[in-house]
Amino acid sequence: MKAVQVMSYGAADVLRINEVTRPAPGTGEVLVSVEASSVNGHDVIVRAGGLKMVSGRRFPIGVGLDFAGVVAATGAGVEGYQVGDRVWGTVHPRQRHTTGGAAEYVVVPADRIAHAPADVSPVEAASLVVAGATALIALRDNAHLASGERILVRGAAGGVGTAAVQLAHAMGAHVTALARDRHARLLTGLGADEVFDYGSTTSDQIGPFDVIFDTVGTELNCYRSRLAKGGRMVTVALSASALAAIAASSVYGSRRIRTFSANPDTAVLRDLADRVASGALRPLVDGVYPLAEAAAAHQAFERGGVVGKQVIQVAA
């Protein structure tokens, strides 16, 4: 089978489409025939060597944290899934020393998948897995966003940002989005009450907010100061400067900058599917690339200025 793999750390051109052995599911595992996988920030950071302390120097490394596809086989002890079921799920980052979601087949534990939403395509489903789960876990479990609260979403036009705008709106919050001015109409349509151009808006011009959800990773301390009393700030950024700001903010107690690792389980994925089915969350796909053009999908992600996700279509 074909799989996208990192052969050495570097720019997108280090990605290769290699022939590898098709995996077989073990006890408690499911083999999925992958139809689509999205490009996530974690994929790009790992590929570039930004997390080599964790990912190590053993190559190849698989690409793709998420996937949507069809159950091809189940291992012993797996219940609730049959061959042919449409599913979506995630690959644990530490599992990817051979293949990730950007491959023709992937094996994952059954507790990392769920039945995919019925009314979206595999490409659309893949665009929502990590992005939607990250936003849901951040807002529901880390920020504890409540109806009537004011939330700022930084980087609101990206994959995680557009999911956060929609979910926050569905939770009853007053949503302020920070993004490029040209995305204002789209974000308003997704549920944003206000949209500010990030290029001409400074942190002291907006707020205060009960919750700040950041996907950018810059000026974190400046934005943290815009929290209202009892406010909470969550970032999904992994840059060195962001991690330093997170560590330094611990002195602020409940108003510190929080981060987390989004490793969604079946329960989260089912919740996400229910929100898609209810219309509270819809996919936004910026670009679709065949498996052979995975490097181009990474390059598009890194250029920025996109709306939604870059998706690698594995099977037509």
Side-chain angles (χ1 to χ4, degrees), residues 17-97:
I17 314 301
N18 292 331
E19 286 286 344
V20 301
T21 302
R22 172 174 156 173
T27 301
E29 294 181 330
V30 176
L31 174 70
V32 177
S33 175
V34 178
E35 295 176 301
S37 175
S38 79
V39 179
N40 294 285
H42 187 276
D43 297 312
V44 173
I45 293 169
V46 168
R47 187 213 71 218
L51 290 174
K52 64 180 66 174
M53 294 274 300
V54 177
S55 54
R57 295 185 176 276
R58 182 164 60 89
F59 298 99
I61 297 173
V63 173
L65 275 180
D66 54 27
F67 57 87
V70 178
V71 174
T74 59
V78 173
E79 298 179 354
Y81 299 102
Q82 303 294 327
V83 172
D85 285 354
R86 292 200 169 273
V87 295
W88 63 355
T90 63
V91 180
H92 194 285
R94 294 182 182 178
Q95 182 187 333
R96 297 191 301 161
H97 267 296

Side-chain angles (χ1 to χ4, degrees), residues 231-282:
R232 294 86 67 199
M233 181 172 179
V234 180
T235 182
V236 295
L238 291 174
S239 67
S241 61
L243 294 174
I246 292 166
S249 74
S250 62
V251 298
Y252 295 102
S254 63
R255 297 175 74 246
R256 69 191 184 280
I257 304 169
R258 311 164 194 224
T259 190
F260 65 100
S261 176
N263 283 311
D265 59 11
T266 296
V268 170
L269 294 170
R270 285 175 176 165
D271 190 333
L272 204 63
D274 288 343
R275 292 171 192 265
V276 175
S278 73
L281 180 64
R282 66 181 177 90

Side-chain angles (χ1 to χ4, degrees), residues 41-280:
H42 187 276
D43 297 312
V44 173
I45 293 169
V46 168
R47 187 213 71 218
L51 290 174
K52 64 180 66 174
M53 294 274 300
V54 177
S55 54
R57 295 185 176 276
R58 182 164 60 89
F59 298 99
I61 297 173
V63 173
L65 275 180
D66 54 27
F67 57 87
V70 178
V71 174
T74 59
V78 173
E79 298 179 354
Y81 299 102
Q82 303 294 327
V83 172
D85 285 354
R86 292 200 169 273
V87 295
W88 63 355
T90 63
V91 180
H92 194 285
R94 294 182 182 178
Q95 182 187 333
R96 297 191 301 161
H97 267 296
T98 303
T99 59
E104 291 182 318
Y105 291 89
V106 67
V107 162
V108 293
D111 62 4
R112 297 190 71 86
I113 66 169
H115 290 98
D119 295 328
V120 297
S121 70
V123 165
E124 291 172 325
S127 76
L128 284 172
V129 181
V130 165
T134 298
L136 178 60
I137 294 169
L139 300 184
R140 185 191 65 188
D141 302 335
N142 292 81
H144 304 291
L145 181 66
S147 179
E149 290 193 310
R150 298 178 62 88
I151 179 173
L152 171 67
V153 180
R154 294 187 69 211
V160 178
T162 52
V165 168
Q166 295 178 77
L167 292 172
H169 172 73
M171 292 175 180
H174 180 280
V175 183
T176 299
L178 197 58
R180 293 177 187 263
D181 189 57
R182 68 173 182 263
H183 300 320
R185 180 176 295 182
L186 170 72
L187 291 168
T188 300
L190 294 179
D193 298 283
E194 301 174 291
V195 182
F196 290 92
D197 179 19
Y198 82 85
S200 60
T201 304
T202 59
S203 59
D204 59 356
Q205 293 176 306
I206 53 178
F209 301 98
D210 301 295
V211 172
I212 297 175
F213 179 55
D214 170 80
T215 72
V216 181
T218 60
E219 301 181 273
L220 293 184
N221 286 316
C222 293
Y223 280 94
R224 195 208 61 79
S225 70
R226 303 309 298 152
L227 286 176
K229 183 178 180 180
R232 294 86 67 199
M233 181 172 179
V234 180
T235 182
V236 295
L238 291 174
S239 67
S241 61
L243 294 174
I246 292 166
S249 74
S250 62
V251 298
Y252 295 102
S254 63
R255 297 175 74 246
R256 69 191 184 280
I257 304 169
R258 311 164 194 224
T259 190
F260 65 100
S261 176
N263 283 311
D265 59 11
T266 296
V268 170
L269 294 170
R270 285 175 176 165
D271 190 333
L272 204 63
D274 288 343
R275 292 171 192 265
V276 175
S278 73

